Amino acid sequence: MADKLIITAALTGNITLPMMTPALPITPEQIADEAIHCAEAGAASVHIHARDPKDAKPSTNVDFYREIAQRIKKKSNVIFVPTTGGTASMTAAERLKVVPALKPEMATCNMGSINFSIHPVADRYKDSDQKYPWEKEFAASTKDFIFRNTFGDIEIYYKTMMENGTKPEFELYDVGHLYNMAWFVRKGIIKPPIWMQFVTGILGGIGCDPESILYMKNTADRLLGAQNYKFSTIGVGYPNEFNADVLSIVMGGNVRVGLEDNLFVSKGVLAKGSWELVEKMVRLAKEMGKEIATPDEARQILGLKGLDKVGY
Ligand code: KMH
Ligand code: ZN
């Protein structure tokens, strides 16, 4: 029997800026409430980037992550997946701190370096659009941002996750990252079963066209063996998000939606929150005859240790 569909909600990100949408949650309380709302809408897991409530800047402060995780846990059994992605100003060690501190069931692990850029965004907004004075400068600076994930970094991230019982949610932004993954598997460092996300449509990475997504899938099958991994697909922007997700379902994969990746629920209409994108995804999936996995069903599908074994 085919697995039920795992819907991940990516609520915040750090490339979505407060000036882009009033729906972006900022404080730990807002982020936790949004996560709970997404779970009620059908998300099995929530991918979280914390922000400093003082100035809305992306933050690796473990206290913010702990507060978010604890607030969620009080009301929902949704799977909490913190980022280890960070921003240009954060070191690899800083980005990883959340894993030993909270021992989450799952955390992201990025599988290669790219020039991860949102610099064209800076030209799309006026200075007066900014809610915080750093937003346009932050976007412009990504023109030269190398999102660093070296072989050395990946090995440390993976080993730290294994030591803490945290399953990596691998993020792959281009075909080369599948070759990185295959190398780690060949060397016996990364051990299947693998859970990974094809991130498509980032400037600096592979496009979100069907040919590219199929190419990622076919290359993964060839290099890793279809039986050794499960996947989800991310399309950045609108309508990329929903197009990529529908294609992912057709290919036997899972989906991610949320304001980290896309702001719009329909053409020109800003989503009121990531939960509205989850609701739309649930409708689309059901129309395609797919059943939606609960958090506990997703835990079983992914082989997670369980909420009773986390460190928060
Ligand atoms: N911070 C971005 C450059 C992740 O969450 O692990 C990449 C990112 C990945 O958001
Ligand atoms: Zn992220």
Side-chain angles (χ1 to χ4, degrees):
M1 203 179 80
D3 283 340
K4 292 188 181 179
L5 183 73
I6 299 172
I7 301 179
T8 299
L11 315 182
T12 45
N14 49 25
I15 52 162
T16 303
L17 302 170
M19 66 180 172
M20 294 174 172
T21 171
L24 193 68
I26 307 285
T27 68
E29 186 175 5
Q30 287 167 351
I31 293 171
D33 287 350
E34 178 80 351
I36 294 160
H37 200 164
C38 285
E40 287 163 358
S45 74
V46 287
H47 168 62
I48 305 283
H49 293 245
R51 288 171 187 268
D52 190 328
K54 159 172 108 288
D55 56 10
K57 278 193 184 163
S59 171
T60 54
N61 186 329
V62 166
D63 293 339
F64 298 146
Y65 283 93
R66 186 179 297 105
E67 183 181 343
I68 295 166
Q70 287 176 341
R71 281 180 179 276
I72 295 173
K73 195 176 154 189
K74 266 192 205 143
K75 295 201 180 148
S76 170
N77 70 345
V78 71
I79 302 163
F80 166 78
V81 188
T83 183
T84 65
T87 62
S89 59
M90 298 164 188
T91 64
E94 224 184 304
R95 285 164 39 188
L96 185 58
K97 277 187 318 195
V98 68
V99 171
L102 301 189
K103 305 184 188 311
E105 293 175 89
M106 196 148 69
T108 58
C109 184
N110 293 275
M111 279 311 288
S113 304
I114 57 167
N115 180 180
F116 193 121
S117 190
I118 57 161
H119 71 275
V121 163
D123 298 327
R124 264 187 250 144
Y125 292 85
K126 299 190 289 294
D127 288 354
S128 57
D129 291 330
Q130 297 185 115
K131 284 197 196 121
Y132 299 90
W134 53 266
E135 296 188 60
K136 283 187 62 177
E137 195 184 322
F138 176 87
S141 73
T142 59
K143 192 171 189 176
D144 293 308
F145 169 41
I146 298 169
F147 181 33
R148 179 191 150 143
N149 300 288
T150 64
F151 284 96
D153 295 335
I154 294 166
E155 190 168 336
I156 292 171
Y157 275 45
Y158 183 78
K159 287 187 172 162
T160 305
M161 290 189 197
M162 290 302 100
E163 285 160 17
N164 288 282
T166 300
K167 186 169 178 96
E169 179 164 84
F170 292 110
E171 303 217 50
L172 296 90
Y173 302 82
D174 219 323
V175 183
H177 298 177
L178 281 165
Y179 284 84
N180 296 355
M181 171 79 83
W183 184 85
F184 277 109
V185 172
R186 238 180 8 256
K187 293 291 165 194
I189 300 170
I190 291 180
K191 296 189 175 58
I194 289 161
W195 167 240
M196 64 181 164
Q197 309 202 105
F198 303 145
V199 189
T200 70
I202 295 279
L203 184 60
I206 200 165
C208 186
D209 46 283
E211 291 81 0
S212 296
I213 294 173
L214 273 172
Y215 188 51
M216 290 291 280
K217 169 75 170 76
N218 290 338
T219 307
D221 286 353
R222 183 164 52 80
L223 296 181
L224 303 170
Q227 72 285 2
N228 289 321
Y229 75 93
K230 293 186 190 295
F231 74 102
S232 176
T233 309
I234 297 166
V236 173
Y238 183 88
N240 287 352
E241 176 161 274
F242 294 104
N243 290 349
D245 285 353
V246 166
L247 179 56
S248 195
I249 294 174
V250 172
M251 296 190 306
N254 299 278
V255 298
R256 176 169 120 171
V257 291
L259 294 177
E260 174 163 350
D261 308 320
N262 161 50
L263 306 174
F264 298 96
V265 67
S266 56
K267 194 162 188 270
V269 180
L270 285 173
K272 295 189 198 79
S274 292
W275 54 269
E276 202 180 8
L277 302 170
V278 175
E279 284 181 351
K280 176 164 173 168
M281 195 61 243
V282 168
R283 289 196 299 276
L284 287 168
K286 285 191 172 160
E287 285 294 328
M288 293 171 76
K290 255 335 254 195
E291 286 186 79
I292 313 297
T294 64
D296 281 340
E297 287 166 343
R299 283 186 174 91
Q300 213 172 4
I301 294 166
L302 299 176
L304 304 185
K305 64 181 173 183
L307 200 45
D308 54 330
K309 297 190 182 61
V310 298
Y312 55 84

